[in-house]
Amino acid sequence: FGVEAWVRSNSTTGNAVIAYNGNSANSGFGLFRLGGNWGFLYGGVVADGNTPATSDWTHLAIVRDNGLSRFYVNGTE
């Protein structure tokens, strides 16, 4: 599966859900802004959350294939 979104943040305070499927505490997957960083959550675990959020438009994507999750920011893994 894959989930993607074009995002732009006007704040780096608190957290924000961009797209999510499931229960963020223990299941599912989704894209988030985690404070000042973009990231993704898979199965209730932050799998990546260290890509700085900016006020520029940014393309985020999660791709899950054959048990492997990959997080892309502007086309770069």
Side-chain angles (χ1 to χ4, degrees), residues 25-57:
N26 58 21
S27 66
F29 55 90
L31 297 167
F32 284 82
R33 182 181 47 77
L34 308 161
N37 297 298
W38 302 121
F40 81 97
L41 195 67
Y42 187 82
V45 177
V46 175
D48 194 340
N50 56 13
T51 302
T54 69
S55 60
D56 297 330
W57 283 102

